Short mmCIF file of all heavy atoms in Angstrom, two decimals:
data_model
loop_
_atom_site.label_atom_id
_atom_site.label_comp_id
_atom_site.label_asym_id
_atom_site.label_seq_id
_atom_site.Cartn_x
_atom_site.Cartn_y
_atom_site.Cartn_z
N GLY A 591 45.26 19.39 27.00
CA GLY A 591 46.65 19.15 26.55
C GLY A 591 46.60 18.77 25.08
O GLY A 591 46.76 19.60 24.20
N GLU A 592 46.42 17.50 24.83
CA GLU A 592 45.99 16.99 23.53
C GLU A 592 44.64 16.34 23.78
O GLU A 592 44.42 15.77 24.84
CB GLU A 592 46.95 15.92 22.98
CG GLU A 592 48.38 16.37 22.75
CD GLU A 592 48.59 17.04 21.39
OE1 GLU A 592 47.60 17.34 20.69
OE2 GLU A 592 49.77 17.28 21.06
N GLY A 593 43.76 16.40 22.80
CA GLY A 593 42.47 15.75 23.02
C GLY A 593 41.47 16.19 21.97
O GLY A 593 41.70 17.15 21.23
N GLY A 594 40.38 15.47 21.90
CA GLY A 594 39.36 15.82 20.92
C GLY A 594 38.07 15.07 21.20
O GLY A 594 37.95 14.35 22.20
N ALA A 595 37.10 15.28 20.33
CA ALA A 595 35.83 14.55 20.47
C ALA A 595 35.22 14.34 19.09
O ALA A 595 35.32 15.19 18.21
CB ALA A 595 34.87 15.31 21.36
N PHE A 596 34.63 13.16 18.96
CA PHE A 596 33.86 12.79 17.77
C PHE A 596 32.40 12.82 18.22
O PHE A 596 32.05 12.17 19.20
CB PHE A 596 34.28 11.38 17.34
CG PHE A 596 33.42 10.77 16.27
CD1 PHE A 596 33.83 10.79 14.93
CD2 PHE A 596 32.22 10.15 16.60
CE1 PHE A 596 33.04 10.21 13.95
CE2 PHE A 596 31.43 9.58 15.61
CZ PHE A 596 31.84 9.61 14.29
N VAL A 597 31.59 13.56 17.48
CA VAL A 597 30.18 13.72 17.88
C VAL A 597 29.30 13.37 16.69
O VAL A 597 29.61 13.78 15.56
CB VAL A 597 29.91 15.19 18.30
CG1 VAL A 597 28.44 15.39 18.67
CG2 VAL A 597 30.80 15.59 19.48
N THR A 598 28.25 12.62 16.94
CA THR A 598 27.30 12.38 15.85
C THR A 598 25.90 12.28 16.42
O THR A 598 25.71 11.83 17.55
CB THR A 598 27.64 11.11 15.05
OG1 THR A 598 26.63 10.93 14.04
CG2 THR A 598 27.69 9.86 15.91
N ARG A 599 24.92 12.72 15.60
CA ARG A 599 23.53 12.60 16.08
C ARG A 599 22.91 11.29 15.62
O ARG A 599 21.76 11.02 15.90
CB ARG A 599 22.71 13.80 15.62
CG ARG A 599 22.74 14.10 14.17
CD ARG A 599 22.19 15.49 13.84
NE ARG A 599 22.46 15.85 12.46
CZ ARG A 599 21.77 15.44 11.42
NH1 ARG A 599 20.74 14.64 11.60
NH2 ARG A 599 22.10 15.81 10.19
N HIS A 600 23.69 10.43 14.90
CA HIS A 600 23.16 9.16 14.40
C HIS A 600 23.63 8.00 15.29
O HIS A 600 24.84 7.77 15.42
CB HIS A 600 23.66 8.89 12.98
CG HIS A 600 23.34 10.00 12.03
ND1 HIS A 600 22.05 10.29 11.62
CD2 HIS A 600 24.13 10.90 11.42
CE1 HIS A 600 22.07 11.31 10.78
NE2 HIS A 600 23.32 11.71 10.65
N ALA A 601 22.68 7.26 15.84
CA ALA A 601 23.04 6.16 16.75
C ALA A 601 23.90 5.11 16.03
O ALA A 601 24.84 4.55 16.61
CB ALA A 601 21.78 5.53 17.32
N ASP A 602 23.59 4.82 14.74
CA ASP A 602 24.36 3.78 14.05
C ASP A 602 25.81 4.21 13.80
O ASP A 602 26.74 3.42 13.97
CB ASP A 602 23.66 3.35 12.73
CG ASP A 602 23.41 4.52 11.79
OD1 ASP A 602 23.39 5.70 12.26
OD2 ASP A 602 23.26 4.29 10.58
N LEU A 603 26.01 5.49 13.46
CA LEU A 603 27.39 5.97 13.26
C LEU A 603 28.14 5.98 14.60
O LEU A 603 29.34 5.69 14.66
CB LEU A 603 27.39 7.37 12.64
CG LEU A 603 26.83 7.52 11.23
CD1 LEU A 603 27.11 8.93 10.69
CD2 LEU A 603 27.40 6.48 10.27
N ALA A 604 27.41 6.30 15.67
CA ALA A 604 28.04 6.33 17.00
C ALA A 604 28.52 4.93 17.39
O ALA A 604 29.61 4.75 17.91
CB ALA A 604 27.06 6.86 18.04
N GLU A 605 27.70 3.94 17.07
CA GLU A 605 28.05 2.56 17.43
C GLU A 605 29.28 2.10 16.63
O GLU A 605 30.21 1.49 17.17
CB GLU A 605 26.84 1.66 17.13
CG GLU A 605 26.96 0.27 17.72
CD GLU A 605 25.91 -0.69 17.18
OE1 GLU A 605 24.97 -0.24 16.49
OE2 GLU A 605 26.06 -1.90 17.42
N LYS A 606 29.27 2.45 15.34
CA LYS A 606 30.41 2.08 14.50
C LYS A 606 31.69 2.79 14.98
O LYS A 606 32.76 2.19 15.07
CB LYS A 606 30.10 2.47 13.04
CG LYS A 606 31.11 2.03 12.03
CD LYS A 606 30.62 2.34 10.62
CE LYS A 606 31.67 2.00 9.57
NZ LYS A 606 31.29 2.42 8.22
N ALA A 607 31.54 4.07 15.33
CA ALA A 607 32.70 4.84 15.79
C ALA A 607 33.23 4.28 17.10
O ALA A 607 34.43 4.23 17.34
CB ALA A 607 32.33 6.31 15.96
N ARG A 608 32.33 3.84 17.96
CA ARG A 608 32.74 3.30 19.26
C ARG A 608 33.63 2.07 19.05
O ARG A 608 34.64 1.89 19.71
CB ARG A 608 31.48 2.96 20.07
CG ARG A 608 31.69 2.56 21.48
CD ARG A 608 32.33 3.60 22.36
NE ARG A 608 31.47 4.69 22.76
CZ ARG A 608 31.92 5.76 23.44
NH1 ARG A 608 33.19 5.88 23.77
NH2 ARG A 608 31.10 6.73 23.77
N ALA A 609 33.27 1.24 18.07
CA ALA A 609 34.08 0.04 17.80
C ALA A 609 35.40 0.42 17.13
O ALA A 609 36.48 0.01 17.57
CB ALA A 609 33.29 -0.92 16.90
N LEU A 610 35.33 1.25 16.09
CA LEU A 610 36.54 1.55 15.31
C LEU A 610 37.49 2.50 16.04
O LEU A 610 38.67 2.56 15.70
CB LEU A 610 36.15 2.12 13.95
CG LEU A 610 35.46 1.13 13.01
CD1 LEU A 610 35.00 1.82 11.73
CD2 LEU A 610 36.40 -0.03 12.67
N GLY A 611 36.98 3.21 17.02
CA GLY A 611 37.84 4.13 17.76
C GLY A 611 38.56 3.46 18.91
O GLY A 611 39.28 4.11 19.65
N THR A 612 38.37 2.17 19.05
CA THR A 612 38.99 1.49 20.19
C THR A 612 39.50 0.09 19.82
O THR A 612 39.28 -0.87 20.54
CB THR A 612 38.02 1.50 21.40
OG1 THR A 612 38.69 0.93 22.51
CG2 THR A 612 36.74 0.74 21.15
N ILE A 613 40.14 0.01 18.69
CA ILE A 613 40.83 -1.19 18.17
C ILE A 613 39.96 -2.44 18.03
O ILE A 613 40.48 -3.54 17.95
CB ILE A 613 42.15 -1.54 18.92
CG1 ILE A 613 41.91 -1.73 20.42
CG2 ILE A 613 43.22 -0.52 18.65
CD1 ILE A 613 43.15 -2.24 21.16
N HIS A 614 38.64 -2.29 18.02
CA HIS A 614 37.82 -3.44 17.66
C HIS A 614 37.70 -3.48 16.14
O HIS A 614 38.27 -2.64 15.44
CB HIS A 614 36.44 -3.34 18.31
CG HIS A 614 36.49 -3.60 19.79
ND1 HIS A 614 37.09 -4.72 20.31
CD2 HIS A 614 36.04 -2.89 20.83
CE1 HIS A 614 37.01 -4.68 21.63
NE2 HIS A 614 36.39 -3.57 21.96
N THR A 615 36.94 -4.44 15.65
CA THR A 615 36.67 -4.51 14.21
C THR A 615 35.19 -4.24 13.99
O THR A 615 34.40 -4.24 14.94
CB THR A 615 37.02 -5.90 13.66
OG1 THR A 615 36.41 -6.88 14.51
CG2 THR A 615 38.52 -6.11 13.59
N TRP A 616 34.85 -3.99 12.72
CA TRP A 616 33.46 -3.64 12.40
C TRP A 616 33.08 -4.31 11.09
O TRP A 616 33.76 -4.16 10.08
CB TRP A 616 33.34 -2.13 12.26
CG TRP A 616 31.95 -1.68 11.91
CD1 TRP A 616 31.48 -1.37 10.66
CD2 TRP A 616 30.85 -1.51 12.79
NE1 TRP A 616 30.17 -1.00 10.72
CE2 TRP A 616 29.74 -1.09 12.03
CE3 TRP A 616 30.68 -1.68 14.17
CZ2 TRP A 616 28.50 -0.83 12.58
CZ3 TRP A 616 29.44 -1.42 14.72
CH2 TRP A 616 28.37 -0.99 13.93
N GLY A 617 32.02 -5.07 11.13
CA GLY A 617 31.55 -5.71 9.90
C GLY A 617 30.32 -6.53 10.21
O GLY A 617 29.96 -6.70 11.39
N PRO A 618 29.64 -7.04 9.19
CA PRO A 618 28.41 -7.81 9.43
C PRO A 618 28.73 -9.15 10.08
O PRO A 618 29.65 -9.87 9.67
CB PRO A 618 27.84 -8.02 8.01
CG PRO A 618 29.00 -7.86 7.10
CD PRO A 618 29.98 -6.94 7.76
N MET A 619 27.97 -9.49 11.11
CA MET A 619 28.21 -10.74 11.86
C MET A 619 26.90 -11.50 12.05
O MET A 619 25.84 -10.89 12.06
CB MET A 619 28.77 -10.42 13.25
CG MET A 619 30.19 -9.94 13.25
SD MET A 619 30.71 -9.64 14.96
CE MET A 619 32.26 -10.50 14.97
N ALA A 620 27.01 -12.79 12.24
CA ALA A 620 25.81 -13.59 12.56
C ALA A 620 26.18 -14.52 13.72
O ALA A 620 27.35 -14.94 13.84
CB ALA A 620 25.40 -14.40 11.34
N PRO A 621 25.22 -14.86 14.57
CA PRO A 621 25.52 -15.79 15.67
C PRO A 621 25.98 -17.13 15.13
O PRO A 621 25.48 -17.59 14.09
CB PRO A 621 24.17 -15.94 16.39
CG PRO A 621 23.34 -14.79 15.94
CD PRO A 621 23.83 -14.41 14.58
N ARG A 622 26.93 -17.77 15.78
CA ARG A 622 27.41 -19.08 15.34
C ARG A 622 26.39 -20.15 15.74
O ARG A 622 25.66 -19.98 16.73
CB ARG A 622 28.76 -19.40 16.00
CG ARG A 622 29.81 -18.35 15.72
CD ARG A 622 31.16 -18.77 16.27
NE ARG A 622 31.73 -19.83 15.47
CZ ARG A 622 32.34 -20.91 15.96
NH1 ARG A 622 32.44 -21.08 17.25
NH2 ARG A 622 32.83 -21.83 15.17
#
Side-chain angles (χ1 to χ4, degrees):
E592 299 275 10
F596 170 99
V597 178
T598 178
R599 53 194 169 80
H600 305 291
D602 56 339
L603 295 189
E605 192 192 350
K606 186 174 175 186
R608 187 62 75 187
L610 291 175
T612 184
I613 57 173
H614 288 308
T615 49
W616 179 262
M619 287 181 131
R622 303 186 73 223

